[in-house]
Amino acid sequence: QVQLMESGGGLVQSGGSLRLSCAASGRIFSIENMGWYRQAPGKERELVAGITSAGTTNYADSVKGRFTISRDDAKNTVYLQMTSLKPDDTAVYYCNAYGSTYTMKGWTKYQQGNQHYWGQGTQVTVSS
């Protein structure tokens, strides 16, 4: 299993900034894609930003130019720098990782299949 621990959410005024972090731990063999999703009350969960293992990024149109996703593979951590925040950005933000774990047999690591893992979510509230 892979555990994802998010941090950095909170309350901020409109126009302010926040930085979310998500650290992955466990028997990680590799993490291919990492991303941030959000879900506002009464709405479906949506992709905010994603980043591949090669560093290719993609963003929801609503956050382009304001949010920046990055990753530190040495720390198995993904970040979301959010600037110029708006009340519409208020939501629970979830970290997602797509990757694989390993099992040990003797001294040999065996890769398991890729699957998606989710964090528990962190609340971001932007006041007007």
Side-chain angles (χ1 to χ4, degrees):
Q1 282 291 332
V2 175
Q3 295 79 40
L4 300 177
M5 181 62 68
E6 298 128 332
S7 60
L11 173 64
V12 65
Q13 287 188 332
S14 182
S17 300
L18 281 175
R19 188 192 195 210
L20 304 183
S21 299
C22 171
S25 61
R27 288 195 165 194
I28 299 169
F29 187 90
S30 66
I31 298 179
E32 302 300 322
N33 302 331
M34 302 189 82
W36 289 94
Y37 290 71
R38 68 186 180 187
Q39 187 166 19
K43 295 187 177 181
E44 293 186 354
R45 190 174 296 188
E46 62 174 357
L47 174 67
V48 176
I51 184 166
T52 70
S53 57
T56 302
T57 59
N58 65 293
Y59 298 91
D61 288 342
S62 59
V63 307
K64 281 181 182 176
R66 299 188 298 122
F67 291 8
T68 302
I69 189 170
S70 60
R71 62 190 284 174
D72 183 339
D73 288 336
K75 298 179 179 179
N76 287 324
T77 299
V78 63
Y79 305 96
L80 186 68
Q81 180 68 48
M82 304 184 293
T83 63
S84 302
L85 282 161
K86 307 173 182 179
D88 284 349
D89 295 318
T90 296
V92 177
Y93 283 69
Y94 296 91
C95 175
N96 175 271
Y98 180 70
S100 59
T101 58
Y102 67 87
T103 57
M104 296 295 296
K105 194 170 185 179
W107 294 101
T108 304
K109 280 185 180 180
Y110 290 89
Q111 183 182 9
Q112 305 302 295
N114 285 327
Q115 59 180 302
H116 285 278
Y117 298 93
W118 291 92
Q120 81 286 354
T122 185
Q123 177 70 47
V124 171
T125 303
V126 184
S127 63
S128 57

